[in-house]
Structure formats: C-alpha cells, structure tokens
Amino acid sequence: MITLRQLAHWKATGQKFAVLTAYDYTFAKLVAAAGVPVILVGDSLGQVMLGYPSTQPVTLEEMIHHTRAVMRGAGTTLVVADMPFMSYQVSVEDALRNAGRLVKEGGAQAVKLEGGADFAEVIRAIVRAGIPVMAHIGLRPQSVHQHGYRTQATDAAGRRQLLLDAKAVEKAGAFAVVVEKAEASATGAVTRALHIPVIGCGSGPDCDAQVLVTYDVLGLFPDFTPSFVKQYARLGDAARIALSAFDADVRTGKFPAKTPAPAVSTKDSRGNGKRKKGRLS
Ligand code: KIV
C-alpha cells in the first residue's frame, strides 16, 4: 500500500515519483499496473469524461461516483479525489462535510483542493478531522474566470505569492502540493523550500513529482492537449482506426464470420464465468 510516509520518504531521499489521473475502474487498473504510485481522481473528469467546458460544473455526486469506480481498480495505489468547485469555498463546515463524503462514500484516501494561504484554515480543519489534504496552487482551473489559464509566478510579486501559498499549505498540514502551470524557476524555489512533496503540472522539471492527465499522456482526449504535455501514445488515432475497421466489417458482412470460431469461452459478453484456454470466439 502506498502511504503518505512513503511519499515523505521519497521527498527526503530525492526519489521522484509520478502521479496520473484516473476516472474509472479500467483506467485505475491500467495506471496501477504501470506501477504509478498515486492516482488522482481529478475534476478534469468534467472535461475529459463528461464534456463540460471547464471543471466548474462538476458536482460532488459526480466526484463520488467516479472515485468509487477508481477505488475498485486502484489496488495498492494511493487515491486522491478532487474536491469540486463550491464544495469547500462556502464554509469550513461545508468543506469538512464534503471532504468526509469523498472519503466515506467515495472511498478516497485523501482529497485535493485548490487554494493556498487563503484556504489554510480549510486545509487545517480537514486534516484535523483525519483526512489527508493535497493542496493545489499556481494556476487554479476552478477560478478560471478570475485568473484565466495564464502561467503563474512570472514576476517578483507572483513568485512571492507562490512561495507564500506553498509555505502556508505546508504549515496547515497538507501532505503534498500540486503546482500547476507556474514559472519553472519559481516552482524550483518552492520545491527546495518545502519539506512536503511538490508535484508539478506544467511547472518545469525541478519538482519532486509530476502529474498529468492520463488521457493527454495517451493521446486520447480529442479537444485540446496542453503545451507542456508529452504524449507517450496516440491511442485516440488507434481507436478510430479499429472502430472504423469494425464498422466496415459489419457493413461488408465480414463480421461476424460465416463459420463461427470454435467455442472456447464459457464467459458471457461481460466476462463473467470461467474462461477456458484458447482463442475467444
Ligand atoms: O483535475 C486534475 O486533473 C488536476 C491535475 C491536472 C493536477 O487537478
């Protein structure tokens, strides 16, 4: 089981680690099988899974639903669930109640929220309740209408604010902090100043860990890919080719084959039941 102690140990020993998003059972299994130690059920599921224009419409119910699915496939990875927009901004009581729901109903082991010094009180209260908190500073997509999507900490005041936010969330008890789309040297300074792991997302190489959206890494999300993402595969293209081959086969009568393949599976179409050795029909 990946624990907070393990992450703290990696920070102390300079061992970098990866974090990837997952929003469902199958992808949680894939990420876990790849050996990635931390899964983030990000509210980016709003765009990637649900087709919303931003993360703002995502509800707590949606986060709980997807977190439950991820938990069934996550194995020994540490699962962190995002607190969606307006689930922690109204009051500390509200934040506590909603963080509690992500843990009790979703099964998450920790929660993430977007906020620095301005949310220290909320972080402190959730941590006091026994729920580990990952903070998220720099670019905060939930506040897009206030700050936009521009790179953060590009001037002296911005660098000061980033460091102040980072130190405030550490002091409030956060076990790690995501720094999204902040200037690389400013993020490096934060990484050196903190004792908790700093997880970069488009904030340069000088971080303790890196997080990306799995659909971006695999080339699966069709709408846009942030400039800082490295695509390790083009599964979207591969899927389109496979699906149109199926479509063509059905239209031309090539699928299903006239002579059925020998029955080798006792599983139903969902994979229930026993599977015998051999090719599936
Ligand atoms: O929602 C998300 O996926 C995130 C990461 C990109 C950091 O917050």
Side-chain angles (χ1 to χ4, degrees), residues 55-221:
T55 57
Q56 286 189 336
V58 176
T59 66
L60 188 66
E61 263 59 38
E62 287 164 344
M63 289 306 305
I64 291 171
H65 172 79
H66 285 277
T67 303
R68 285 166 70 95
V70 166
M71 288 310 298
R72 291 180 209 115
T76 58
T77 59
L78 180 75
V79 176
V80 182
D82 254 340
M83 297 196 69
F85 183 52
M86 295 316 290
S87 71
Y88 57 95
Q89 287 91 340
V90 175
S91 68
V92 172
E93 287 74 21
D94 219 26
L96 260 180
R97 196 173 304 113
N98 293 330
R101 287 194 64 195
L102 283 167
V103 172
K104 277 174 82 86
E105 298 171 43
Q109 289 134 352
V111 299
K112 174 164 86 57
L113 60 84
E114 294 178 14
D118 47 351
F119 280 87
E121 192 192 348
V122 173
I123 294 171
R124 201 170 291 114
I126 298 174
V127 172
R128 197 186 311 122
I131 300 173
V133 176
M134 179 183 281
H136 180 149
I137 62 173
L139 192 154
R140 304 184 198 177
Q142 291 178 7
S143 315
V144 56
H145 297 311
Q146 199 163 24
H147 303 296
Y149 287 117
R150 66 178 181 278
T151 304
Q152 304 293 300
T154 50
D155 58 11
R159 291 171 74 92
R160 266 197 307 278
Q161 186 62 48
L162 192 75
L163 193 56
L164 192 143
D165 281 336
K167 287 187 170 169
V169 298
E170 178 175 65
K171 191 158 175 234
F175 71 92
V177 58
V178 169
V179 179
E180 179 166 353
K181 212 176 171 197
E183 201 274 321
S185 66
T187 308
V190 165
T191 304
R192 288 188 291 281
L194 261 54
H195 296 100
I196 58 173
V198 172
I199 305 170
C201 181
S203 299
D206 296 331
C207 305
D208 303 302
Q210 294 289 334
V211 59
L212 286 176
V213 168
T214 300
Y215 276 62
D216 292 338
V217 172
L218 297 178
L220 268 172
F221 185 56

